[in-house]
Amino acid sequence: MEATSFAQVWQDVFSTQTAPPQWLVIATGVVALVVVVARGPWRVARNVVTIAHEGGHALVALLSGRQLTGIRLHSDTSGVTVSRGRTSGIGMILTVAAGYVTPSLVGLVGILLLLQDRITALLWISILVLTAMLLLIRNVYGVVSVVGTGAVVFLISWFTPAEVQAVFAYLFTWFLLLAGVRPVFELQVQRSRQPSPHSDADQLDRLTGVPGTLWVVLFGVVNLATLGAGVWLLLF
């Protein structure tokens, strides 16, 4: 992006870009899958999933009328979003349920933008969302994670040619779409090995009376369905 004024920046952000060839769309999907499956890359990239997860909790908390206190992101890729309000009811249930499905849903929204060739818009919307989320972060590691992620997106959107932006945008979107599935399986494994009353599924168990395992299944079904829809939209 070589804009010299605010008006030109605005125009560049919301203009359309040339869609990449289909082989490149497939290639970025394969790379994203490797990142999700491979242990080393996943441990680093999972921080992005945590940002989306906690962002989902925060957004739904605000939409349901709860008072958002803050977000903490931890180096073990866990996180916590604290809000004030009723300790039961639909608002609390939706807030807790939002986390595990948000990364996949954000990936699907990204795909809808990419299908309209809004590559730069996708990158800048991501920057704006990360900036808003930064205001809610309450620990140093969380600030580093959000700023680092935002800096990468900004540098690519501002200093690289359209072709590089397209590769990154598709890779980023594929990653969120695919990465939403793995944490659900990790959640159930963790619940089996080290039961915790603080997991989202177990909180929902107490809030609704529906067993936590069924909530895990629901998370998995939603994310797999979202993944299927995303694959169909991108490749067929």
Side-chain angles (χ1 to χ4, degrees):
M1 184 181 295
E2 298 179 355
T4 57
S5 67
F6 178 80
Q8 189 174 347
V9 169
W10 188 261
Q11 180 179 355
D12 289 344
V13 166
F14 288 98
S15 63
T16 58
Q17 292 77 40
T18 304
Q22 188 73 349
W23 70 264
L24 188 57
V25 174
I26 296 173
T28 54
V30 171
V31 173
L33 180 61
V34 171
V35 172
V36 171
V37 173
R39 178 175 297 182
W42 173 247
R43 291 184 64 182
V44 177
R46 199 185 190 286
N47 286 283
V48 177
V49 180
T50 304
I51 292 172
H53 179 114
E54 299 304 328
H57 285 313
L59 177 60
V60 175
L62 291 173
L63 292 177
S64 61
R66 299 181 62 80
Q67 181 181 356
L68 196 58
T69 303
I71 300 171
R72 290 179 177 270
L73 307 174
H74 303 133
S75 59
D76 62 355
T77 70
S78 66
V80 60
T81 299
V82 180
S83 61
R84 295 177 180 174
R86 290 184 58 191
T87 57
S88 61
I90 188 64
M92 186 63 181
I93 293 170
L94 292 175
T95 297
V96 177
Y100 277 97
V101 300
T102 296
S104 294
L105 293 176
V106 170
L108 185 59
V109 171
I111 287 173
L112 297 177
L113 287 171
L114 293 177
L115 290 176
Q116 299 178 44
D117 299 328
R118 304 286 182 177
I119 295 171
T120 304
L122 170 63
L123 298 178
W124 276 78
I125 289 172
S126 300
I127 293 170
L128 292 175
V129 170
L130 288 167
T131 301
M133 190 171 177
L134 182 61
L135 301 175
L136 302 170
I137 300 296
R138 297 294 183 263
N139 66 325
V140 174
Y141 185 84
V143 171
V144 172
S145 295
V146 173
V147 170
T149 303
V152 170
V153 179
F154 172 76
L155 291 173
I156 289 175
S157 67
W158 192 267
F159 293 108
T160 65
E163 295 79 7
V164 175
Q165 293 183 34
V167 169
F168 179 81
Y170 274 88
L171 179 62
F172 185 66
T173 303
W174 268 119
F175 171 74
L176 286 174
L177 193 67
L178 292 162
V181 177
R182 179 166 176 172
V184 177
F185 288 96
E186 293 177 341
L187 170 63
Q188 186 57 28
V189 170
Q190 182 181 11
R191 293 180 71 246
S192 300
R193 294 177 179 176
Q194 297 178 331
S196 169
H198 303 297
S199 76
D200 290 359
D202 291 291
Q203 290 184 61
L204 288 165
D205 185 343
R206 293 193 300 275
L207 287 167
T208 65
V210 177
T213 301
L214 290 183
W215 281 104
V216 175
V217 171
L218 178 61
F219 296 154
V221 168
V222 170
N223 289 354
L224 287 171
T226 304
L227 173 60
V231 171
W232 183 82
L233 287 171
L234 282 175
L235 302 183
F236 298 100

